[in-house]
Amino acid sequence: MTELKNKKFFLLDMDGTIYLDNDLFDGTLDFLDTVKKKGGKYLFVTNNSSRGVDAYVEKLRRLGIPATEDDFLTSTDATILYLNSKFKGKKFYSFGTRSFTEQLASGGVNVTTELEDDIFGLVISNDTELTFKKLEDACVLLGRGVEYIATNPDWVCPTW
């Protein structure tokens, strides 16, 4: 425990770590307050790409945690960095939530949600708005042999 007291920077997962659904875990606010009082910093990280950072800011505020967009690093952020560094300008079909697609576009990724001939790749995320059309489009694109990028292999997303 002594070694923990000397730490100044913490990477904190959210789903199932500081909260479950809309219930903050006991001790979370005390821990975050202690980190700040000791001059430390924390960054919230998540591999849940179904919502944008703005939704996470709002959720944490509802739970009593003041947060700004700079307090987060998401798998969508990492995906944007990867796509822009490896495939700048190439068109990708976005298989994900509206929020995911908007975040990709605002990050400079050339995205579409329509099946088009000039699509270079398929980028897929945790999609809580899944439709048959998206599944069909993804199958067509994979059949064409396009690049396939996933935001994360989220085997488990803790919920009640």
Side-chain angles (χ1 to χ4, degrees), residues 18 26 62 80 110 114-115 119 122 129 132 134 154:
I18 65 168
D26 291 340
R62 276 195 325 270
I80 290 168
N110 183 4
E114 298 300 322
L115 193 57
I119 294 174
L122 170 67
E129 301 165 358
F132 182 79
K134 290 179 194 178
D154 199 354

Side-chain angles (χ1 to χ4, degrees), residues 13 15 18 43 47 95 114 152 157:
D13 186 32
D15 295 312
I18 65 168
L43 183 68
N47 62 352
F95 186 116
E114 298 300 322
N152 62 293
C157 185

Side-chain angles (χ1 to χ4, degrees), residues 1-12 27 31-32 34-36 38-41:
M1 194 59 121
T2 303
E3 293 160 2
L4 189 58
K5 289 181 182 178
N6 296 327
K7 302 300 179 204
K8 294 288 185 185
F9 186 68
F10 296 86
L11 297 174
L12 304 171
F31 172 76
L32 297 175
T34 299
V35 169
K36 291 287 187 181
K38 293 190 175 265
K41 181 166 174 51

Side-chain angles (χ1 to χ4, degrees), residues 17-81:
T17 304
I18 65 168
Y19 60 72
L20 188 59
D21 288 325
N22 291 308
D23 297 320
L24 198 61
F25 290 134
D26 291 340
T28 299
L29 292 176
D30 291 337
F31 172 76
L32 297 175
D33 189 48
T34 299
V35 169
K36 291 287 187 181
K37 283 181 180 173
K38 293 190 175 265
K41 181 166 174 51
Y42 47 81
L43 183 68
F44 298 108
V45 295
T46 184
N47 62 352
N48 185 343
S49 54
S50 66
R51 63 175 75 183
V53 171
D54 56 337
Y56 283 115
V57 168
E58 179 56 34
K59 179 171 185 161
L60 290 190
R61 285 186 181 154
R62 276 195 325 270
L63 294 173
I65 301 171
T68 68
E69 290 188 5
D70 292 336
D71 294 325
F72 296 85
L73 178 62
T74 70
S75 60
T76 305
D77 296 324
T79 302
I80 290 168
L81 290 171

Side-chain angles (χ1 to χ4, degrees), residues 111-131:
V111 292
T112 184
T113 56
E114 298 300 322
L115 193 57
E116 300 168 3
D117 290 335
D118 61 341
I119 294 174
F120 176 80
L122 170 67
V123 61
I124 189 168
S125 75
N126 179 12
D127 191 353
T128 57
E129 301 165 358
L130 184 62
T131 64

